[in-house]
Amino acid sequence: MTRTRPALRRLLATGLATLATAVVGLVATAGPAAAATTPGIDVSNWQGSINWTSVRNSGIQFAYIKATEGTSYKDPSFNANYTNSYYAGVIRGAYHFARPNISSGAIQANYLASNGGAWSADSRTLPAALDVEGNPYSGGYCYGLSTTGMRNWIQDFLNTYRSRTGRYAVIYTTTSWWNQCTGNWTGPWANHPLWVARWSSTVGTLPAGAPVWSFWQYTDSGSVSGISGGVDRNHWNGDRTRLIALANNTP
């Protein structure tokens, strides 16, 4: 995931693993080598000005775009990226970088939903993603929370986002962070799509209890026409038809 500071990518590279989704019918296959995958990216202000027409013409079909962080930061490029990607034909979604040690999950979910993370059934808007991973700031890897405290924080965020939008949020994490900081929690995977975070040629081990991945971020140094410099590259585990089904919340 694109961070608030580029150096954080290197700090988080070790031990990145995978996410999964248990949303029945929305995932075409359980493995990256079987059947279709759909190419995508995730971006933030660090990518600068993006030519979304060039991005779409290069074959990119979806993008997660940083919207918010914590309780007060809105990415300055979000409005342009979210609008321009839509009109270029890219299926887009917003993401929120979690700061569990500065407020409740509900406060941050409401901040996301009020600042770009809302949802509409227009075939091009994905449910927003909660980016929850190792703390890049002071306060400890797990933000100073116990495993029970972290579970409660995440559940508070997910419940509030669902109440605001009617959708189950996507969860972006790493296997190592998730298993350590939530204590191998399996609760969300019955409904929430999971996003793989492992910069490797294989997805690897999934978080505890996750049956399958939905999105896989497989590199942080990809190259895409229309974007200067490196960019996170992702796969959707299915074809574009299934991705549109996720966007529209249809079987």
Side-chain angles (χ1 to χ4, degrees), residues 96-116:
H96 173 82
F97 188 86
R99 301 282 302 278
N101 57 344
I102 66 172
S103 80
S104 69
I107 288 174
Q108 293 189 36
N110 278 317
Y111 184 64
L112 168 64
S114 297
N115 288 278

Side-chain angles (χ1 to χ4, degrees), residues 5-98:
R5 294 173 292 181
L8 297 176
R9 296 172 175 279
R10 295 187 293 275
L11 297 176
L12 296 170
T14 301
L16 287 179
T18 63
L19 285 155
T21 182
V23 181
V24 176
L26 292 180
V27 178
T29 80
T37 58
T38 301
I41 57 176
D42 62 86
V43 301
S44 76
N45 188 53
W46 287 107
Q47 274 66 51
S49 179
I50 296 175
N51 184 326
W52 284 100
T53 299
S54 293
V55 169
R56 181 67 186 94
N57 288 342
S58 74
I60 296 299
Q61 299 195 43
F62 72 90
Y64 265 102
I65 298 166
K66 185 171 184 177
T68 52
E69 176 174 328
T71 60
S72 60
Y73 178 83
K74 182 172 180 178
D75 189 285
S77 296
F78 175 76
N79 288 344
N81 283 334
Y82 206 61
T83 300
N84 294 339
S85 59
Y86 178 92
Y87 286 112
V90 176
I91 302 168
R92 83 280 159 86
Y95 78 82
H96 173 82
F97 188 86

Side-chain angles (χ1 to χ4, degrees), residues 208-219:
V212 67
W213 59 273
S214 218
F215 298 95
W216 171 20
Q217 184 192 80
Y218 61 90
T219 183

Side-chain angles (χ1 to χ4, degrees), residues 29-233:
T29 80
T37 58
T38 301
I41 57 176
D42 62 86
V43 301
S44 76
N45 188 53
W46 287 107
Q47 274 66 51
S49 179
I50 296 175
N51 184 326
W52 284 100
T53 299
S54 293
V55 169
R56 181 67 186 94
N57 288 342
S58 74
I60 296 299
Q61 299 195 43
F62 72 90
Y64 265 102
I65 298 166
K66 185 171 184 177
T68 52
E69 176 174 328
T71 60
S72 60
Y73 178 83
K74 182 172 180 178
D75 189 285
S77 296
F78 175 76
N79 288 344
N81 283 334
Y82 206 61
T83 300
N84 294 339
S85 59
Y86 178 92
Y87 286 112
V90 176
I91 302 168
R92 83 280 159 86
Y95 78 82
H96 173 82
F97 188 86
R99 301 282 302 278
N101 57 344
I102 66 172
S103 80
S104 69
I107 288 174
Q108 293 189 36
N110 278 317
Y111 184 64
L112 168 64
S114 297
N115 288 278
W119 173 78
S120 57
D122 55 18
S123 298
R124 292 187 200 168
T125 302
L126 294 164
L130 170 64
D131 175 0
V132 59
E133 57 181 271
N135 183 8
Y137 307 108
S138 61
Y141 184 64
C142 298
Y143 297 87
L145 300 184
S146 67
T147 55
T148 297
M150 186 62 72
R151 292 182 188 190
N152 290 340
W153 191 95
I154 293 171
Q155 193 65 67
D156 192 29
F157 184 101
L158 299 176
N159 288 347
T160 303
Y161 183 78
R162 171 108 169 125
S163 178
R164 282 289 303 270
T165 68
R167 296 303 309 271
Y168 292 107
V170 174
I171 301 173
Y172 171 101
T173 193
T174 71
T175 295
S176 58
W177 186 91
W178 186 268
N179 290 347
Q180 177 178 336
C181 295
T182 74
N184 297 304
W185 186 33
T186 64
W189 308 145
N191 296 303
H192 295 273
L194 277 83
W195 188 351
V196 173
R198 187 170 192 258
W199 305 335
S200 179
S201 59
T202 60
V203 176
T205 304
L206 304 178
V212 67
W213 59 273
S214 218
F215 298 95
W216 171 20
Q217 184 192 80
Y218 61 90
T219 183
D220 71 331
S221 56
S223 178
V224 173
S225 178
I227 298 176
S228 299
V231 64
D232 297 338
R233 293 291 304 261

